[in-house]
Each structure stands twice: as C-alpha cells, then as structure tokens.
C-alpha cells in the first residue's frame, strides 16, 4: 500500500510539473520569445524575461539544468546610465550543456553542441562542438559523432527505459565499474511520445530518424 501511495504521489507531482512547465513556455511565447518544436527547456533554465522577445530557440534544441540565457547586460549602468541589448539566436538542434551561460548578441549555428559550464560570449559556427570560457570550437560535430560511434562499437550498450528497475540498476553499476557505457533508444522513444522528458510539441509532420548501432 505504501509503495502504491508513493507512486501515485510521484505521478501527480510529475503531471503538475509538466503543466507548470507548459504554462511557462506559453507565457514566454506570449511575450514574444520564439521556442521551436521538440525543445527541452527545463524549469531551471534562467531566461531574461524582460527582453525574452530578443531570444529565439530553434526546433529540437535541448538545455541541461541551470543554464542562463541573457539578452541584456546592465553591468555598466551605474557608470554610463546605459545597458547593452542583443539578440540571442539558437538555430535548430543546438544542445547546451548544464550551467552554461549564453550572453547577449550571439548566434549559435544549427547542430552545435556546447559543453557544460561554458560561457558563450561570441557567435559559434554550425555543426561544431564548443566549450570553455569563452566558448570556442573544440572539434567538428562529425568528428565528435565519429568518436562516439567508434566507442559504441566497443562498449557495453543498454536499452533505454523510462523507469530503471533494480535489476537494470545493478547491471549498470557493474558495467560502469570499468568505464562508461551507452544507453540507446532514448531519443527514438521521445519522438514516439514514450520518453520521460517533457518537451514542447513535436512538429505536425512526424520526424524520421535513422540510427546506426553496432551489432
């Protein structure tokens, strides 16, 4: 009985959190901010609400926890009685690591990955992996993907599951004792509406994906 009650409370909290998140997205859009389809924009993302109409997030973007997106800089206000404003444009399929800071006046090209804890003070090119303070190009997206494809071929691979069972937890603990492993199928599950991450609505036309996994 206690387990069932705990599960019911957890489910209710999850539904409430999702509704609050959806209302937040609606309020930001009402203020003029562009938020595309299939975007993971968690509640912990700090957004410059006063100037959110200067911020644009493309389709299929994702943010780690506790990122900051700023469209204005008022640090000089006491001395100049002026603040700097700038647009922030994130094109489709940008993925921003946890606790990254995106400053005013930058444009992030499509299919760009930004490492956790980065400070984006200048525009970044498309199809790159960037990190640091200030964020700079580390490698191309293709190089990054090829590296992980090679690791996938020689690493332990586990199927994605929304709820990790005790058995799966033990298997993961044992497998990661000797290095990293990979979970596959999570993105596919989200596109089918089976994932556990709340995102903005998917586009009306279904997205086709093709994933090549080691056999």
């Amino acid at each position: 009985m206690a387990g069932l009650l705990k599960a019911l409370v957890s489910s209710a909290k999850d539904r409430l959190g999702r509704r609050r998140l959806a209302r937040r997205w609606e309020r930001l859009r009402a203020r003029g901010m562009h938020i595309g389809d299939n975007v993971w924009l968690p509640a912990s993302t700090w957004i410059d609400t006063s100037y959110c109409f200067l911020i644009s997030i493309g389709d299929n973007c994702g943010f780690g926890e506790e990122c900051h997106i700023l469209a204005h800089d008022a640090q000089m206000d006491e001395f100049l009685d002026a603040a700097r404003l700038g647009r922030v444009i994130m094109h489709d399929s940008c993925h921003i690591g946890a606790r990254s800071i995106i400053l005013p006046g930058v444009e992030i090209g499509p299919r760009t990955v930004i490492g956790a804890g980065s400070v984006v003070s200048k525009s970044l090119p498309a199809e790159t992996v960037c990190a640091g303070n200030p964020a700079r190009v580390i490698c191309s997206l293709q190089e990054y993907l090829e590296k992980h494809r090679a690791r996938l071929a020689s690493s332990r691979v586990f199927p994605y599951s929304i709820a990790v069972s005790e058995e799966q937890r033990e298997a993961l603990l044992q497998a990661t004792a000797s290095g990293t492993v990979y979970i596959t199928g999570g993105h596919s599950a989200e596109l089918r509406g089976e994932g556990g991450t709340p995102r903005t609505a998917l586009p009306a036309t279904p997205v086709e994906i093709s994933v090549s996994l080691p056999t």
Side-chain angles (χ1 to χ4, degrees):
M1 179 63 73
L4 176 59
L5 181 60
K6 183 178 179 180
L8 290 172
V9 170
S10 177
S11 177
K13 286 183 176 180
D14 181 65
R15 290 195 300 272
L16 179 60
R18 287 172 180 264
R19 286 198 294 269
R20 285 176 173 170
L21 196 54
R23 286 197 297 268
R24 185 192 189 212
W25 297 335
E26 291 173 3
R27 289 194 299 268
L28 289 169
R29 284 168 166 158
R31 287 173 174 241
M33 180 176 171
H34 174 75
I35 306 174
D37 295 328
N38 193 36
V39 172
W40 165 227
L41 187 64
S44 67
T45 306
W46 190 91
I47 294 171
D48 194 343
T49 53
S50 296
Y51 300 98
C52 64
F53 54 88
L54 296 174
I55 300 170
S56 175
I57 300 173
D59 297 342
N60 306 311
C61 290
F63 295 82
E65 297 289 347
E66 299 181 357
C67 290
H68 284 55
I69 308 173
L70 295 91
H72 87 287
D73 174 7
Q75 289 183 309
M76 75 293 291
D77 196 25
E78 177 187 350
F79 311 106
L80 301 178
D81 194 23
R84 181 175 70 93
L85 302 181
R87 291 192 179 189
V88 176
I89 301 173
M90 287 163 274
H91 290 279
D92 294 351
S93 298
C94 289
H95 296 276
I96 317 298
R99 293 192 173 182
S100 291
I101 300 172
I102 302 174
L103 297 177
V106 301
E107 183 173 359
I108 303 174
R111 292 169 60 82
T112 294
V113 175
I114 297 175
S118 296
V119 178
V120 182
S121 58
K122 295 181 180 179
S123 295
L124 299 173
E127 302 203 3
T128 57
V129 175
C130 307
N133 180 7
R136 61 182 180 85
V137 176
I138 303 300
C139 64
S140 70
L141 178 64
Q142 186 61 34
E143 290 170 332
Y144 175 77
L145 296 179
E146 287 300 328
K147 178 181 72 175
H148 284 287
R149 285 194 185 101
R151 290 180 178 176
L152 265 167
S154 58
S155 299
R156 290 284 304 277
V157 177
F158 293 84
Y160 168 79
S161 175
I162 296 178
V164 179
S165 67
E166 289 291 338
E167 182 180 356
Q168 292 168 324
R169 186 180 304 172
E170 183 60 32
L172 287 169
L173 282 170
Q174 292 181 7
T176 53
S178 57
T180 58
V181 300
Y182 287 83
I183 298 290
T184 60
H187 185 58
S188 304
E190 289 185 352
L191 291 177
R192 294 193 301 267
E194 301 169 3
T197 302
R199 294 175 177 265
T200 60
L202 287 167
T205 302
V207 178
E208 293 186 1
I209 60 172
S210 176
V211 180
S212 178
L213 298 177
T215 57

